[in-house]
Amino acid sequence: MLSKTIHEGPGWRWGFDPNAGDFPFLIGSQDWALELTRAEFADFSRLSRELAQTVTAIADELMGEEKICCELSSELVWLEIEGYAHAYELRFILCQGRKAEGGWPETVVPALLNSLQSFYPGET
């Protein structure tokens, strides 16, 4: 049986509580936190991973001072990265239900994304 877990670093956190009912996931920063459904978290994780892969794929084609802005969405979540290939902020909006938005600055995004990659949807 899985137990409650919290992953956090300076300026970011996310967690999973398998016994939490409708909202077993949590994402947040040092100033805010939001509970997510399993489907919302799955989309958030997948889309953030796809955005990071996109940036990695195009990084060599960009000039060092060239800014990028990429977005992806599902029915549940919209995500956007903005900045440079080596440093970008991440923003999201929940598109259904309680409608919420949040984001992280470029200084914390790499650690947040690395941590999210350690969690596999099959673990829920």
Side-chain angles (χ1 to χ4, degrees):
M1 179 175 186
L2 292 173
S3 61
K4 182 177 178 179
T5 59
I6 297 287
H7 303 266
E8 60 187 322
W12 64 271
R13 61 188 156 149
W14 71 271
F16 174 61
D17 182 351
N19 303 312
D22 293 338
F23 302 101
F25 287 92
L26 173 96
I27 59 173
S29 74
Q30 64 190 28
D31 300 322
W32 59 270
L34 175 68
E35 294 176 320
L36 299 178
T37 66
R38 290 175 188 271
E40 289 166 342
F41 186 81
D43 282 4
F44 175 84
S45 296
R46 178 180 55 81
L47 294 173
S48 63
R49 184 173 46 254
E50 288 176 16
L51 283 171
Q53 290 168 346
T54 298
V55 171
T56 300
I58 66 171
D60 289 341
E61 299 174 28
L62 300 171
M63 295 175 59
E65 67 279 357
E66 191 172 3
K67 279 192 152 187
I68 57 172
C69 182
C70 298
E71 62 181 67
L72 287 174
S73 64
S74 69
E75 290 183 13
L76 301 174
V77 183
W78 171 89
L79 273 82
E80 176 187 67
I81 58 167
E82 185 173 7
Y84 301 95
H86 64 280
Y88 50 85
E89 57 187 42
L90 173 66
R91 291 188 294 274
F92 74 92
I93 297 175
L94 294 185
C95 302
Q96 294 187 2
R98 58 211 183 283
K99 307 238 188 339
E101 66 181 278
W104 299 269
E106 63 187 42
T107 55
V108 304
V109 170
L112 170 64
L113 295 180
N114 283 339
S115 179
L116 285 170
Q117 290 179 10
S118 71
F119 189 83
Y120 300 99
E123 293 182 45
T124 63

